[in-house]
Amino acid sequence: MPALSMTRALVVHGHFYQPPRENPWTLQVEREAGAEPFHDWNERIFAECYRPNAYARVFDDAGRVDRIVNNYRHISFNFGPTLLQWLEREHTITYGRIVSADRDSARARGGHGNALAQAYNHLILPLANARDRRTQILWGIADFSRHFSRAPEGMWLPETAANHEVLDALIDAGMKFTILSPYQAGRVRSIEGGEWSDVTGGRVDPTQPYRYFARDGSRRAIDIFFYDGPRSRSIAFEGALSSSAAFIDHLIRNTDDRTQCVSVATDGESYGHHTKFGDRCLAHALVSEAKQRDLWLTNYGQYLEQNPPTMEVEIDHGPDGLGTSWSCAHGVGRWFRDCGCSTGAREGWNQKWRTPLREALDLVRGHTTALFEEMGGTYLTDPWAARDGYAPALFDPERARDRFFEQHAKSTLSAEDRVRVLSLMEMQHHAMLMYTSCGWFFSDISGIETQQIMKYAARAMELAKAVGAQPPVDGFMERLAEAESNRPDMGNGADVFRKFVDTARVTPSRVAAHLAMAGLVDESVKLGEIAGYDFQRVDFKTRQHGRVKMCTGRVKLEHTMTEAREELTVAGVHLGGVDFYCAVNDHLERAELAAASDKLWKAFTTSSVPKLLKIASQEFGGEDYGLSDMLPGGAEHVSELVLGTLMRRFTEQYAQLYEDNRRTLDMLGAVGFELPKELSVAAEFTLGRRFEAEIRAQNESQDIRAYKRAIELAEIIAESGYRVDRSTSSTLFTQMITHGLYIALARPASENWEAVEELMELSDRLGLTPDMERAQEAMYEAVTSSGEVAGPEVERVLVRLGLSPHVVGRGESS
């Protein structure tokens, strides 16, 4: 362990967070505008930040990859629980790198891992009531322990928002430390007592930790690190990530060996999403530049063990007396009033909508609180203790739900009572999700973040209704109507709710209709999980007559979180193309279904389409649905299947147009005439489709001779100067090269390495641009651990992948 009298400590903290984006009805993240070409913002930021920081490249002077660094091993970090759950579900390998980084850092730093916990869904704790504050902290701890298999030492507070009550709650939960903005410090003195010194306005010394004592006089305490404000701001907003040397220079400027610790904290997204290649700058700075400057790269837990605080601190409570944060100059005003702080506001805009929005949510919380206490008390020994202990059942329902009831139910519950209790718990879950801070952070009530928290409120009220209560929908909408949008086309909060929230609802009937209509295109799926339900299609009958296809049957649903069960009858009709119809009924008994089905099937081959649809509506009653009512993504998928025939016709017509005029186009090109887009589009489309078809036809063959026709097409395209989309073909070759490399690493025979090399050369001849990241990472891991490159063909692959020869045998963990 370096002696601090000889070297300075450096702690870089990244707060990695995205708001929960899942539709509360489907439990899936839907396509989001602005995130293109990615499906949603989580996916975009994953590609730009979360994954790159798990595999950050450090380059040598020749531009070759010299190291691949897991940045999470070298920085202090926290991940928002809802984001980490998404990573666990959608990107398991990167998630694993994050978890292993904490484990590795704990081994390297005396048992102190780099990861910190975070209060659960990023609501502003000073504005929460005591019960919500406690549950948020306990759920954050439970989530952390599940991922990292240890108890957290410290906790990141959403927006670093704090007051005495919040810090006391952290102490109650056993947290050892937290991180705040220097502008949140009020006054300090020696831990032994004495005169206080005022340090408001960011004047606290950020190079040492401080001790905060609980307000109950017990001398229980939590330690606080105040990050260096100017240095952190330069990383986030002022270009400090332009180079690794400049980054480290900036962090240690005006410090000397007497400086205890340089501590900086920013959004983790600064490293790659906000600043392109910030992940690479960070990696080079930490594994190379920091060592050259003799800096002790550590984390807060390790530093505290060696350097306990000598100073006591009291924090500032802001102008409203409610608390302070790192992103609002007015304390915590940003989350309940028009304080002047905003992101993305245009001239003349205001945020007066924040107050009625919070009042509307407070109305829902008041109702759900009273309902939870009254009804929950019927079944649970202590409803609020049960909510605090609900986290395991929330994170892993199948495994932890029965244990939850064993611990908290007064007695063994019936299936109906289990549904009632789980509905109450989910009601409480959504009543906290609706306070996620991002709903107030931005400039207008019509933003997607504010729409999201309204959806949570709607779901909470829906669950209240499901257990027999009458939620305050009218009062909620009245308060939302007082929240005027800055955009005239959006109206007010109630208009935004009707436009974006009501249309996002997914009922069991809609799920059943989706399954019926999707089944008319793809009959293979009989059971599975969709939109938060386990489903089973039962007694389905499907027939086709001409272009009309019809089905009848039953759909059984069980909600994955509440165990609520539904059985619905459906009659679906596909009229061809994108024309669908489905009738859904939730109260037909089996005999009634049989009679209704018989009548409908008798009419199937004898009646006109209008009469057939009329009979379906009359016999199956209930609600009617069409293609636009399919679940998010479902209509798009079905349309792609249905439009396959149309695309084939277009392809044939383009091909015919190209062949009829090919000689003319070639001659014009030969004399240097630049074809107008109207003339070149047929050639580019046809050649592109043929090229892709040739690549696909080889079924990932590694026999180079099989690609003779594809090579010829690539040469024609190149000679003619056509611009052809080769992205799909490049993706196929990415998979082939990566798979081939895995085989060569597992069975390192010369012919396997030569096969990889030939695929790379073929890719060049075809004009493809495969993504070599995964292959590069696999090769790096193999050669850094093995200590040798066995043969010239392996060395050539190493070079083709852009790796430096110096990586061989380095024996370092990345």
Side-chain angles (χ1 to χ4, degrees), residues 1-9 257 259-260 294 296 306-307:
M1 185 69 59
L4 290 186
S5 60
M6 296 175 59
T7 186
R8 285 155 292 182
D257 290 344
T259 301
Q260 292 187 39
D294 195 28
W296 174 32
Q306 305 246 338
N307 302 271

Side-chain angles (χ1 to χ4, degrees), residues 42-303:
N42 278 6
E43 289 290 355
R44 176 169 175 171
I45 300 171
F46 168 79
E48 296 174 350
C49 176
Y50 307 137
R51 188 180 194 281
N53 275 288
Y55 298 93
R57 268 61 172 175
V58 174
F59 295 88
D60 64 14
D61 292 338
R64 300 167 299 193
V65 174
D66 188 56
R67 293 183 183 180
I68 297 179
V69 178
N70 185 346
N71 280 345
Y72 303 112
R73 292 185 69 246
H74 303 283
I75 65 171
S76 170
F77 66 87
N78 75 279
F79 270 83
T82 55
L83 173 60
L84 196 57
Q85 290 164 22
W86 178 84
L87 285 168
E88 179 185 23
R89 183 175 70 245
E90 302 294 337
H91 296 286
T92 307
I93 295 175
T94 296
Y95 165 80
R97 296 274 286 187
I98 294 166
V99 172
S100 67
D102 179 72
R103 183 173 59 247
D104 294 343
S105 62
R107 282 198 291 260
R109 292 173 174 159
H112 303 284
N114 287 346
L116 275 64
Q118 179 199 288
Y120 183 67
N121 66 265
H122 216 266
L123 60 76
I124 301 303
L125 295 183
L127 297 179
N129 62 38
R131 286 191 179 116
D132 286 357
R133 191 159 52 236
R134 173 182 168 83
T135 301
Q136 285 285 306
I137 291 170
L138 293 179
W139 283 16
I141 291 171
D143 179 77
F144 179 95
S145 300
R146 183 177 71 87
H147 293 298
F148 296 104
S149 302
R150 67 175 179 88
E153 293 184 90
M155 175 169 281
W156 179 269
L157 296 172
E159 302 295 335
T160 75
N163 58 16
H164 293 315
E165 289 79 10
V166 172
L167 295 180
D168 287 353
L170 291 182
I171 294 171
D172 292 341
M175 293 297 96
K176 295 180 181 178
F177 66 87
T178 190
I179 309 163
L180 299 181
S181 161
Y183 293 92
Q184 294 177 264
R187 60 180 186 169
V188 300
R189 68 177 178 181
S190 168
I191 208 165
E192 304 297 330
E195 293 295 320
W196 289 97
S197 296
D198 185 287
V199 292
T200 55
R203 290 176 293 147
V204 69
D205 176 7
T207 67
Q208 61 177 309
Y210 296 81
R211 183 150 292 168
Y212 167 88
F213 290 100
R215 308 296 287 177
D216 59 8
S218 64
R219 300 300 287 176
R220 296 179 307 131
I222 187 170
D223 295 333
I224 298 176
F225 287 89
F226 295 98
Y227 64 79
D228 189 303
R231 287 180 169 87
S232 300
R233 186 165 53 250
S234 70
I235 295 170
F237 305 112
E238 297 170 1
L241 291 170
S242 58
S243 80
S244 57
F247 176 74
I248 293 296
D249 284 342
H250 185 79
L251 293 186
I252 65 174
R253 186 177 299 131
N254 299 324
T255 67
D256 54 36
D257 290 344
R258 292 169 296 179
T259 301
Q260 292 187 39
C261 180
V262 176
S263 164
V264 292
T266 67
D267 286 337
E269 290 77 14
S270 296
Y271 305 108
H273 173 55
H274 298 156
T275 302
K276 189 174 183 179
F277 299 136
D279 53 295
R280 297 179 179 180
C281 176
L282 179 65
H284 193 273
L286 298 185
V287 302
S288 179
E289 297 288 344
K291 291 181 179 179
Q292 294 174 20
R293 315 300 176 87
D294 195 28
L295 294 173
W296 174 32
L297 196 61
T298 183
N299 62 32
Y300 294 113
Q302 184 187 33
Y303 185 83

Side-chain angles (χ1 to χ4, degrees), residues 81 91 135 222 279 392 398 442 446 545 551 576 671 687 753:
H91 296 286
T135 301
I222 187 170
D279 53 295
E398 289 187 8
F442 296 96
S446 63
H545 184 250
C551 69
V671 299
L687 290 172
W753 287 107

Side-chain angles (χ1 to χ4, degrees), residues 741-755:
L741 182 72
Y742 289 159
I743 292 174
L745 290 171
R747 300 193 295 273
S750 295
E751 58 268 23
N752 289 335
W753 287 107
E754 289 169 358

